[in-house]
Amino acid sequence: MKKTIRDFDLNEKKVLIRCDFNVPIKDGKIVDNNRIVTSIPTIKYAIDNGAKVILFSHLGRVKTEEDKVKNTLAPVASELTKLLDKEVIFIKDTRGKELEDAINNMKVGDVLLVENTRFEDLDGKKESGNNEELGKYWASLGDIFINDAFGTAHRSHASNVGIASHLPSGIGFLIEKELKELSVLDNPEHPFVVILGGSKVEDKINVIKNLVTKADKILIGGGMSYTFLKAKGINIGTSILDEASIDFAKNIMNEYPDKIVLPVDIKVTTEFLNDAPAHVTKIDNIADNEMGLDLGDETIHEFSKILDSAKVVFWNGPLGVYEFSNFTYGTKKILEKVANINAKVILGGGDIVAASKELGYKDKVTHASTGGGATLEYIEGKELPGIAAIDDKE
Ligand code: AMP
């Protein structure tokens, strides 16, 4: 078990918190403040317990001087000021005298935000390469380090692993919640049903390899199902194919013939367009010029029957091109299903969480994991360096 922010006496301590403020910003305005909002409980807890709070985050990628202009955390500082109802001190640098003086002048309950940690990447990828000197320097600014950025926990950066290596450390409430919810998948209750969609098999090979041993059924839909169908010798027309993964698909279906469940009917069209004429067809009746972009009702029925008895469900990847309003049907129907069964339902990976939000189901499942890459690496059974670096409970 990892230490959490609750395991520390924060009073009068300089507490460094690594947050995930990597929010979408357009023309200097924050488009979606969800990541900032969800960071507030950990920050408030630190304030309420007498800390001097120093916040770090990355924002986008910084490869040129111009990237610095569009990736400044200044809008985040204003948003935090609003959400906390308290002036947040913003330092437009990632190191130096101004930052050090500002920290030395902080009073109990003050909050300070350091500029985008990736500004350090311009100087030889110091942040992303977990430069030893940088991690040590940032650690020297505080007394305690709290990591609350789950989305970067699969990366070994100076602002997570680096700082943690030089200070007493714990996790914040966001990471604590992610780990608690995802741990349901370590030894899942059965039936454990996995739903996989999205576009490419290749990105999910390790996820499939790890889950196939634990799951009772793996329901495969969306773009990745066509590689499996092709591996079975079915004509997939012009549907998306991940050629390099055909052999993998063949082998896994041979090894686990009863576990992998594929679509039996799909909605096809001849052009990758929302408004292209479309119809539902049986899976063995796809014409050469047709591509499948959504599920048919028979498949939805088959998937639903299996989901009815599930105790735990993990779902990654949409079951159709959910960005096109005419092809959200399968994803929506199965979201509706999992929202209404008596099971722990965990959505993981960016696209299905985005789809569930858009379609109004995000709050109707047990947990929508926000980690993207970090969530998938957790599911693959990998150790996440940003969490491994945190102190264990005694
Ligand atoms: P991933 O990042 O692998 O989870 O893939 C998500 C993407 O898969 C989304 O942009 C979907 O539009 C896409 N997708 C889902 N189903 C299909 C399909 N049948 N054909 C093409 N793309 C699909």
Side-chain angles (χ1 to χ4, degrees):
M1 286 279 272
K2 292 295 171 188
K3 281 193 174 167
T4 79
I5 191 169
R6 282 189 222 88
D7 293 316
F8 294 92
D9 175 5
L10 306 182
N11 198 28
E12 297 197 12
K13 299 279 177 11
K14 287 178 271 182
V15 179
L16 312 180
I17 308 181
R18 174 55 160 104
C19 296
D20 180 0
F21 296 142
N22 187 29
V23 289
I25 294 182
K26 216 173 171 196
D27 302 327
K29 293 226 157 52
I30 296 169
V31 181
D32 179 354
N33 69 355
N34 187 49
R35 285 190 166 145
I36 307 176
V37 171
T38 51
S39 302
I40 296 295
T42 299
I43 300 170
K44 271 227 164 99
Y45 179 90
I47 297 170
D48 293 346
N49 283 275
K52 300 170 183 176
V53 185
I54 299 141
L55 305 173
F56 291 84
S57 175
H58 76 287
L59 175 64
R61 295 223 165 100
V62 181
K63 290 186 178 150
T64 60
E65 281 294 331
E66 295 81 74
D67 288 343
K68 279 177 143 184
V69 179
K70 66 173 195 282
N71 287 320
T72 170
L73 282 175
V76 173
S78 311
E79 188 66 16
L80 277 168
T81 296
K82 257 191 259 160
L83 292 169
L84 290 168
D85 197 17
K86 148 192 270 307
E87 194 60 44
V88 169
I89 306 156
F90 178 58
I91 302 298
K92 296 191 189 87
D93 217 335
T94 47
R95 59 167 84 215
K97 189 164 172 353
E98 194 192 336
L99 173 64
E100 292 155 24
D101 286 349
I103 291 176
N104 287 334
N105 289 329
M106 283 174 84
K107 292 189 243 9
V108 159
D110 279 354
V111 181
L112 179 148
L113 175 66
V114 180
E115 182 56 284
N116 185 354
T117 54
R118 289 204 181 150
F119 279 24
E120 290 282 345
D121 278 353
L122 271 186
D123 184 15
K125 291 220 157 229
K126 287 202 164 129
E127 155 71 332
S128 301
N130 188 14
N131 175 275
E132 169 74 15
E133 178 272 326
L134 180 58
K136 215 169 175 173
Y137 169 69
W138 279 338
S140 75
L141 302 173
D143 304 307
I144 295 166
F145 174 64
I146 300 297
N147 188 5
D148 211 19
F150 186 67
T152 48
H154 61 314
R155 304 277 184 235
S156 191
H157 290 175
S159 64
N160 57 358
V161 173
I163 304 181
S165 315
H166 299 285
L167 280 181
S169 59
I171 53 175
F173 298 129
L174 269 181
I175 290 195
E176 188 184 28
K177 180 163 192 294
E178 285 283 358
L179 294 181
K180 180 174 161 271
E181 302 289 4
L182 291 175
S183 70
V184 166
L185 305 174
D186 295 344
N187 288 301
E189 251 189 281
H190 292 274
F192 171 38
V193 180
V194 173
I195 309 172
L196 291 179
S199 53
K200 281 186 93 185
V201 181
E202 200 187 350
D203 303 341
K204 318 263 169 86
I205 284 184
N206 289 327
V207 173
I208 299 172
K209 277 188 186 160
N210 191 37
L211 289 179
V212 79
T213 58
K214 297 183 190 172
D216 297 278
K217 294 280 181 200
I218 300 191
L219 316 179
I220 298 185
M224 72 153 68
S225 64
Y226 299 97
T227 302
F228 284 82
L229 292 163
K230 176 90 176 174
K232 282 183 80 174
I234 289 169
N235 177 24
I236 60 165
T238 58
S239 307
I240 185 170
L241 173 67
D242 178 2
E243 190 115 36
S245 302
I246 295 178
D247 282 342
F248 166 77
K250 240 182 229 167
N251 293 338
I252 205 106
M253 285 190 290
N254 279 339
E255 207 174 332
Y256 299 95
D258 299 329
K259 286 199 180 183
I260 300 202
V261 184
L262 298 174
V264 290
D265 63 344
I266 51 163
K267 193 170 181 189
V268 291
T269 173
T270 50
E271 278 180 283
F272 192 77
L273 288 173
N274 185 40
D275 293 324
H279 66 277
V280 172
T281 187
K282 296 259 189 227
I283 209 67
D284 53 4
N285 202 25
I286 305 171
D288 288 344
N289 66 340
E290 288 174 340
M291 65 181 88
L293 298 188
D294 203 353
L295 301 180
D297 274 318
E298 258 187 72
T299 304
I300 291 164
H301 181 70
E302 292 300 316
F303 282 12
S304 297
K305 266 199 314 202
I306 293 167
L307 287 165
D308 268 331
S309 60
K311 281 274 176 297
V312 177
V313 175
F314 173 71
W315 182 351
N316 170 266
L319 299 177
V321 182
Y322 79 98
E323 297 93 334
F324 291 167
S325 59
N326 290 333
F327 298 98
T328 56
Y329 183 71
T331 304
K332 192 167 181 178
K333 279 290 189 191
I334 299 297
L335 275 170
E336 189 181 315
K337 181 79 218 170
V338 296
N340 287 294
I341 53 175
N342 191 16
K344 285 190 176 134
V345 178
I346 294 166
L347 310 182
D351 274 303
I352 189 59
V353 174
S356 72
K357 197 172 173 191
E358 249 170 75
L359 300 170
Y361 288 94
K362 186 167 170 266
D363 298 326
K364 297 184 178 151
V365 295
T366 315
H367 183 59
S369 180
T370 54
T375 306
L376 288 187
E377 290 202 13
Y378 181 98
I379 304 292
E380 286 172 19
K382 285 192 189 151
E383 188 176 63
L384 305 179
I387 290 164
I390 298 296
D391 295 345
D392 289 310
K393 280 197 202 254
E394 272 114 43

